[in-house]
């Protein structure tokens, strides 16, 4: 068997159509796999653990409020980027209203009482950064040159539109040619982590700011890419929230003839003679298909559903050593208050930290859902705080439900106190509260150790091509954030497309797409 998951043909090269596929998981990757497979004549069905689609891209209702627990911003939400065409193919561009995100975030340092808006006007952003730290003017110029250089790039064309497994020498050459103008911004000091690059700033406050534009571990070019997209107007907000982005993809899949079964947790992937042949669900029922695709959590797929029988050193090493997205606590409030003019994303360096588990919480991210009427009744708003936390501590705590619930309540009170400093009287306006912990993410989506976006996209990992097959196991593929380091909506959607491109190649038929 080779990297495309194929066994030498026994059919004399005859074209094969109408094969059946079972997909595990109706997150974005699973639904995407299903849509493209249906478009290409495969008969598919999806088994999903939860009661609704979307995985980590989800919303839930509390009282009159809608809580969005997922996607903060959608890149390439407007025409002109190939990623937008991906949204169109999957039927989620047209019914949704994507709103332009003109300010990425506001950074607030409570300790120095400084704040700065990261806006799409890179000239004024440069000025603001220089005013923030005049001694760093030269390094700021260097940083902004990179952001400007990535403007005008088609992100989908930078290695996502064709699966790496099918790329030949000429494709790679073509890719390098397309990237020739910007290539240098992906190498050298820009390929290092933002934390490393940040050491070149004199002012430690500026260093913290730059590190917290996303995560300190990501390569510098990742921030260039975000700022370039922001400046080009290719960063959007979901007017209807994450779930409304997902539901049209589920509809597209069903319109194409696919079927999703919810409340259906796969416990075991059935294997005969080193070929995946089906799945066994938690209710004991068995279902068979020609091909199995897991778009579910990587660890449980490999080590539980397949009992760790198809691993090599590379996989073992990955699951032992690669860093994961640090899990989150997310505290949402429904408040009888408007937040007119406030940026929807805020990063706050707290003056007064608080303890959660063994970790002092020094930073919180605040999301304010003031850009759409879909989240709260008129005159009211959802405001959400989140911070990084420890998996083991919460996992242990949830075994004692009353203590777990009491801790959630305490954390909520701590957060509200911090919000009071920015929004006086907010405590008296709270009508709804909701606290999600890493365990909540695990319970609903099964992501390993609450890592809501999979592998942390460090410079070492982000460019690694993770194989979508497992060694020695035929007719089996993996899609989603555990094979696309760093996760994110476009890579996860593309991963499903890639698998179907590989299947079509394997079955010697052209890959077709259609639009709804
Ligand atoms: C708070 C937050 C903010 C984010 N912000 C952004 C952003 O701004 N921009 C962006 O692009 N991305 C963002 N992301 C990331 C993005 O949403 C994810 O990377 C992507 O949605 C992951 O999709 P997936 O299908 O690979 O995985 P998942 O969403 O995890 O889907 C896997 C599915 O498999 C199911 N499953 C698991 N085990 C089983 C089993 N045994 N049997 C059956 N089903 C099973 C799960 O229930 C789940 O539905 C964010 C994510 C979060 C949580």
């Amino acid at each position: 068997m080779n990297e495309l998951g194929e066994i030498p043909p026994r059919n004399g090269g005859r074209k094969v159509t109408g094969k059946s596929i079972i997909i595990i998981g109706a997150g974005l990757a699973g639904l995407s796999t299903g849509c493209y497979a249906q478009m290409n004549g495969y008969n598919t069905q999806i088994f999903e653990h939860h009661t609704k689609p979307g995985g980590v891209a989800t919303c839930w209702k509390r009282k009159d409020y809608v809580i969005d627990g997922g996607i903060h911003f959608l890149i390439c939400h407007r025409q002109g980027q190939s990623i937008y065409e991906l949204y169109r193919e999957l039927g989620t561009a047209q019914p949704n209203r994507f709103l332009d995100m003109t300010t990425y975030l506001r950074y607030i340092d409570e300790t120095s009482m400084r704040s700065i808006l990261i806006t799409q006007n890179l000239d004024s952003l440069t000025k603001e950064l220089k005013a923030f730290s005049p001694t760093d003017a030269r390094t700021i110029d260097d940083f902004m040159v990179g952001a400007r250089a990535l403007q005008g790039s088609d992100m989908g064309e930078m290695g996502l539109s064709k699966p790496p497994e099918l790329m030949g020498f000429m494709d790679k050459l073509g890719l390098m040619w397309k990237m020739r103008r910007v290539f240098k911004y992906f190498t050298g000091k820009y390929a290092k982590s933002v934390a490393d690059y940040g050491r070149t700033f004199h002012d430690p406050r500026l260093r913290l700011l730059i590190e917290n534009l996303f995560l300190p571990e990501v390569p510098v070019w990742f921030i260039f890419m975000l700022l370039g997209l922001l400046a080009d107007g290719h960063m959007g907000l979901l007017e209807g929230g994450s779930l409304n982005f997902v539901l049209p993809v589920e509809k597209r899949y069903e319109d194409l003839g696919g079927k999703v079964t919810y409340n259906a947790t796969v416990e075991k992937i059935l294997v005969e003679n080193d070929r995946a042949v089906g799945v066994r669900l938690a209710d004991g029922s068995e279902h068979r298909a020609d091909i199995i695709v897991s778009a579910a959590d990587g660890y449980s797929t490999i080590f539980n559903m397949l009992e760790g029988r198809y691993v090599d050193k590379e996989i073992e090493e990955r699951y032992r050593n690669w860093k994961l997205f640090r899990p989150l606590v997310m505290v949402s409030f429904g408040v009888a208050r408007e937040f007119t003019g406030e940026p929807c994303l805020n990063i706050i360096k707290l003056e007064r930290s608080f303890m959660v588990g063994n970790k002092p919480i020094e930073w919180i991210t605040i999301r304010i859902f003031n850009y759409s009427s879909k989240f709260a009744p008129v005159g009211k708003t959802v405001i959400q705080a989140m911070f990084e936390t420890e998996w083991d501590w919460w996992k242990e705590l949830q075994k004692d439900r009353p203590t777990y619930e009491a801790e959630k309540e305490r954390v909520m009170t701590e957060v509200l106190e911090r919000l009071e400093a920015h929004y006086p009287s907010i405590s008296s306006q709270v009508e709804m509260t909701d606290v999600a912990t890493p365990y909540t993410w695990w319970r609903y989506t099964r992501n390993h150790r609450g890592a809501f976006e999979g592998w942390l996209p460090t410079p070492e990992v982000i460019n690694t091509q993770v194989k979508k097959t497992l060694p020695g196991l035929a007719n089996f593929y993996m899609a989603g954030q555990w094979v696309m380091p760093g996760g994110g909506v476009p890579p996860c959607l593309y991963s499903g497309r890639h698998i179907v491109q590989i299947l079509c190649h394997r079955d010697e038929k052209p890959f077709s797409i259609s639009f709804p």
Side-chain angles (χ1 to χ4, degrees), residues 401-507:
R401 285 316 275 197
T403 316
Y404 177 69
E405 293 303 329
E407 181 59 11
K408 282 171 46 173
E409 191 70 19
R410 183 192 71 83
V411 165
M412 188 270 288
T413 310
E414 293 277 12
V415 169
L416 199 53
E417 256 181 49
R418 304 308 181 280
L419 289 183
E420 192 70 36
H422 297 267
Y423 304 106
S425 306
I426 192 171
S427 308
S428 62
Q429 295 158 339
V430 171
E431 296 183 338
M432 176 282 297
T433 59
D434 180 87
V435 182
T437 75
Y439 188 74
T440 317
W441 262 283
W442 186 84
R443 195 152 55 96
Y444 289 111
T445 73
R446 291 290 163 106
N447 275 295
H448 186 45
R449 297 179 67 80
F452 60 95
E453 216 169 322
W455 305 113
L456 201 64
T458 62
E460 299 75 38
V461 158
I462 195 165
N463 286 327
T464 307
Q465 187 206 318
V466 174
K467 291 191 182 118
K468 299 185 188 77
T469 54
L470 293 178
L473 182 61
N475 298 344
F476 174 78
Y477 298 86
M478 286 173 70
Q481 57 191 7
W482 294 94
V483 289
M484 303 298 274
V489 173
C492 291
L493 294 175
Y494 267 117
S495 70
R497 199 177 192 269
H498 286 178
I499 285 175
V500 179
Q501 283 172 292
I502 292 169
L503 289 175
C504 288
H505 173 88
R506 203 183 124 165
D507 289 339

Side-chain angles (χ1 to χ4, degrees), residues 25 28-29 48-49 55-56 72-73 266 305 447 452-453 480-481 488-489:
L28 285 172
E48 165 56 46
H49 160 74
V56 298
H72 290 180
F73 51 84
V266 172
M305 294 179 222
N447 275 295
F452 60 95
E453 216 169 322
Q481 57 191 7
V489 173

Side-chain angles (χ1 to χ4, degrees), residues 190-443:
Y190 307 121
K192 292 195 173 147
S193 71
V194 177
D196 275 350
Y197 181 86
R199 294 202 185 97
T200 56
F201 290 115
H202 295 293
D203 186 339
R205 292 167 313 157
L206 182 62
R207 197 176 306 150
L208 281 181
L209 185 162
I210 299 289
E211 282 185 4
N212 284 282
L213 289 181
F214 196 73
L215 289 167
E217 291 91 348
V218 299
V220 181
W221 60 256
F222 189 91
I223 305 295
F224 292 165
M225 191 190 73
L226 287 184
L227 293 179
L229 284 167
L230 180 70
D232 282 345
H234 282 304
M235 217 185 246
L237 295 163
L238 299 170
E239 188 198 33
S242 296
L243 190 59
N244 275 10
F245 179 78
V246 171
L247 290 174
V249 188
E250 183 209 40
K251 179 174 182 313
R252 174 94 172 108
Y253 174 60
E254 288 173 347
D255 288 350
L256 284 161
K259 179 173 179 274
V260 191
T261 308
Y262 291 102
N263 265 324
T265 307
V266 172
E267 279 198 344
K268 193 170 165 46
I269 293 168
L270 304 174
V271 176
E272 288 170 5
N273 301 323
D274 294 328
R275 289 162 187 259
V277 295
V279 295
R280 183 182 306 141
L281 304 186
D283 66 7
S285 62
E286 292 192 355
H287 306 263
R288 293 176 78 89
D290 299 315
I291 293 153
I292 311 297
V293 177
S294 177
D297 167 62
Y299 182 90
S300 48
T301 297
I302 296 171
F303 296 99
N304 299 336
M305 294 179 222
L306 285 164
E307 298 164 337
R309 286 163 58 203
Y310 297 96
V311 292
D312 54 16
K313 270 206 172 119
E314 212 177 285
I315 295 172
E316 274 173 2
E317 202 263 341
R318 186 179 313 140
Y319 280 88
R320 195 167 347 139
N321 296 332
W322 280 18
K323 290 183 183 153
L324 305 174
F325 262 84
R326 291 177 283 274
L328 297 175
V329 167
M330 184 181 272
V331 189
S332 305
F333 301 95
V335 289
R337 172 183 193 138
E338 287 179 329
F339 290 82
T340 316
E342 284 292 287
C344 59
L345 204 55
N346 301 270
I347 309 283
I348 305 182
K349 166 106 179 76
L350 295 173
E351 190 177 15
R352 263 183 335 112
S353 62
F354 56 99
M355 288 300 289
V356 175
N358 307 301
K359 187 177 172 341
I361 305 306
E362 293 170 340
W363 296 87
I364 51 174
T365 298
I366 307 289
R367 275 181 96 183
I368 302 175
F369 294 83
N370 56 350
Y371 50 85
S372 157
S373 58
K374 310 277 183 194
F375 299 101
V378 179
K380 303 181 180 184
T381 317
V382 173
I383 178 167
Q384 184 179 72
M386 68 202 90
F387 55 84
E388 293 178 350
T389 187
E390 303 157 301
W391 163 255
D392 290 319
W393 190 80
W394 284 102
K395 168 133 189 299
E396 215 31 54
L397 194 70
Q398 60 78 33
K399 291 178 185 160
D400 175 357
R401 285 316 275 197
T403 316
Y404 177 69
E405 293 303 329
E407 181 59 11
K408 282 171 46 173
E409 191 70 19
R410 183 192 71 83
V411 165
M412 188 270 288
T413 310
E414 293 277 12
V415 169
L416 199 53
E417 256 181 49
R418 304 308 181 280
L419 289 183
E420 192 70 36
H422 297 267
Y423 304 106
S425 306
I426 192 171
S427 308
S428 62
Q429 295 158 339
V430 171
E431 296 183 338
M432 176 282 297
T433 59
D434 180 87
V435 182
T437 75
Y439 188 74
T440 317
W441 262 283
W442 186 84
R443 195 152 55 96

Side-chain angles (χ1 to χ4, degrees), residues 2-167:
N2 64 22
E3 202 176 301
L4 302 179
E6 57 196 357
I7 301 174
R10 290 180 190 164
N11 60 1
R14 182 170 42 88
K15 287 195 181 178
V16 186
T17 51
K19 283 183 182 169
S20 57
I21 305 180
I22 285 177
I23 300 162
I24 308 170
L28 285 172
L31 290 171
S32 164
T33 310
C35 287
Y36 288 109
Q38 290 293 135
M39 284 180 217
N40 283 280
Y42 297 94
N43 302 317
T44 72
Q45 60 173 323
I46 301 180
F47 291 110
E48 165 56 46
H49 160 74
H50 194 15
T51 52
K52 55 185 179 187
V56 298
T58 195
C59 294
W60 56 95
K61 241 189 138 179
R62 289 282 179 275
K63 297 187 178 167
D64 291 335
Y65 294 91
V66 174
I67 298 169
D68 190 334
I71 307 166
H72 290 180
F73 51 84
L74 186 74
I75 64 164
C76 308
H77 69 298
R78 272 143 132 267
Q79 263 170 338
Q81 288 268 340
S82 42
I83 292 176
Y84 182 80
E85 294 308 305
L86 177 81
Y87 303 147
R88 269 199 343 115
E89 287 162 17
L90 291 169
T92 191
Q94 298 86 345
N96 269 303
R97 255 188 72 204
F98 301 145
L99 310 171
D100 292 337
M101 193 179 195
T102 52
T103 294
Y104 173 45
L105 57 80
R106 176 172 57 186
Y107 175 87
I108 303 172
D109 183 345
E110 286 183 346
T111 51
S112 62
M113 302 295 285
R114 303 286 301 271
S115 77
I116 186 166
L117 278 178
I118 308 299
T119 60
Q120 71 179 164
N121 183 332
L122 298 187
D123 291 334
S124 59
L125 178 59
T126 308
K127 275 193 203 137
E128 291 250 3
L129 289 171
K130 287 181 180 173
F132 194 87
S133 172
T135 52
D136 284 305
R138 277 184 57 177
T139 325
I140 291 167
D141 281 332
D142 176 67
F143 186 73
M144 297 310 289
V145 165
R148 285 198 182 89
L150 287 212
Q151 277 188 261
S153 305
D154 185 330
M155 296 303 164
E157 286 302 312
M158 288 188 166
L160 281 171
S161 56
K162 190 163 185 182
E165 294 85 346
L166 297 183
M167 276 201 185

